[in-house]
Amino acid sequence: MIIQLEKNITEQQFSRLQEKLRAINYKSVKVSTQFSDYIIGVGKKEFDIRAIGTMEGISDIHRVSDAYKLVSRKWKVKQTQIDLGDDVKIGDGAFQIMAGPCSIESEEQIQSTINHLVKNGLRIMRGGVYKPRSSPYSFRGLGIEGLKLWHKYAQEAGLKIITEVMMTEQIDDMIDYVDIFQVGARNAQNFNLLDALGKVDKPVMLKRGISGTIDELLQAAEYIFSNGNERIMLCERGIRSYEKAYRNTLDINAIPILKEKTHLPVIVDPSHGIGVRKFVDSVALAGVMAGADAVIMEVHECPEKAFSDGQQTLDYEQSGTLIERLNKTVAFRKEIGLC
Ligand code: PEP
Ligand code: MN
């Protein structure tokens, strides 16, 4: 059960509510976000929720018995839109393409990528400065100095930054230079990191775990929300299956299913989703037709020379073509009545 409190609920009204919940044997947890205050009530007893809904100081109440609650569509029917400022929005009809290299490598690479993105009308640049790598001997990112340099150029060009945070300890150093924190697939159930990202007022894009279920993804998002941050996006980036013909199995089904289960924006990552450059295009378009609110893709001036994930990275020509096709697909989606 979710109870939304009125902004100006008095202490007395709040105590009366707690008393009522105790009387029906419900455990209650208070959640305060940047937008509102809620009480999550967990219990077994059947009762008429109107008895609480009509109490003073309560603005809304809903029965949500799933393990995830505040991120559920049963709670909020209207789709969430994430506003990054400067007229850059994601979700509820606002479509975005986020592009950039797997890893931020150098000043020249930052400038070259920014020129490509600006030329193609994009507003959000992706890139990793802290890289989770299967082998400890692979390139692991330029770290905070790389992020600061990137931020300087991105600001000049009016681009927003999405980048991965791997550890709780990195958040404070990164926060002034990041527009969206990315939680990588390997950290999808790092509950300490999710707790910590719930305590900051910056959007978070949470990737589905390598072997994570849709339910686990939603519960991970609930960690962030219940710690105080409502600005969350979910990303389908492919899961591990028995199939060996490509890197990951992009679960197209997850997109409409997530859109039905949650009000949060859903993003598709075709680059990691298939892991094969020449098919990124088709998979990205399929993701958009399935209802994705944004695409995040890897782009590099010379993918063969990329420090990481070159095999799934588009060059500028391929990226330009895909951006055009994605924009046409979004228009087509609307034209045929899919939102
Ligand atoms: C990435 O975006 O480069 C990345 C490492 O993604 P994932 O966590 O999905 O593997
Ligand atoms: Mn990558």
Side-chain angles (χ1 to χ4, degrees), residues 102 126 131-132 164 182 184-186 207 237 272 298 309:
C102 179
R126 65 143 286 145
K131 295 304 302 177
E164 177 164 355
Q182 172 174 325
R186 290 153 194 83
K207 286 194 159 193
R237 48 78 74 200
H272 296 85
E298 292 183 334
D309 284 351

Side-chain angles (χ1 to χ4, degrees), residues 210-211 238-250:
I210 290 175
S211 304
I239 46 175
R240 181 162 290 174
S241 74
Y242 54 80
E243 187 50 71
K244 296 279 175 282
Y246 36 77
R247 185 179 180 189
N248 291 305
T249 300
L250 186 92

Side-chain angles (χ1 to χ4, degrees), residues 87-156:
D87 211 27
V88 184
K89 296 176 181 151
I90 305 177
D92 196 26
F95 179 76
Q96 291 293 337
I97 302 167
M98 316 184 211
C102 179
S103 302
I104 297 296
E105 299 167 2
S106 66
E107 187 164 1
E108 296 69 39
Q109 181 224 29
I110 294 169
Q111 288 173 306
S112 154
T113 312
I114 287 180
N115 287 340
H116 169 69
L117 265 57
V118 170
K119 203 171 116 201
N120 285 277
L122 301 197
R123 305 296 309 276
I124 308 174
M125 179 166 159
R126 65 143 286 145
V129 294
Y130 295 110
K131 295 304 302 177
R133 303 303 303 275
S134 299
S135 162
Y137 308 115
S138 303
F139 176 67
R140 294 169 73 180
L142 294 182
I144 193 72
E145 293 313 317
L147 178 59
K148 287 182 182 168
L149 187 67
W150 174 18
H151 178 258
K152 180 172 90 78
Y153 286 111
Q155 273 228 313
E156 283 168 16

Side-chain angles (χ1 to χ4, degrees), residues 208 212 214 217 234-241 246 248-260 266-274 279-295 326 329 333 338:
R208 182 174 179 183
I214 288 173
L217 176 61
L234 304 176
C235 178
E236 167 57 42
R237 48 78 74 200
I239 46 175
R240 181 162 290 174
S241 74
Y246 36 77
N248 291 305
T249 300
L250 186 92
D251 180 8
I252 283 284
N253 299 351
I255 299 167
I257 297 284
L258 281 169
K259 299 277 297 179
E260 183 182 69
V266 177
I267 288 134
V268 65
D269 175 346
S271 309
H272 296 85
I274 187 158
F279 301 127
V280 165
D281 188 298
S282 333
V283 168
L285 297 170
V288 170
M289 283 310 290
D293 296 289
V295 171
L326 285 168
T329 306
R333 190 168 86 181
L338 294 171

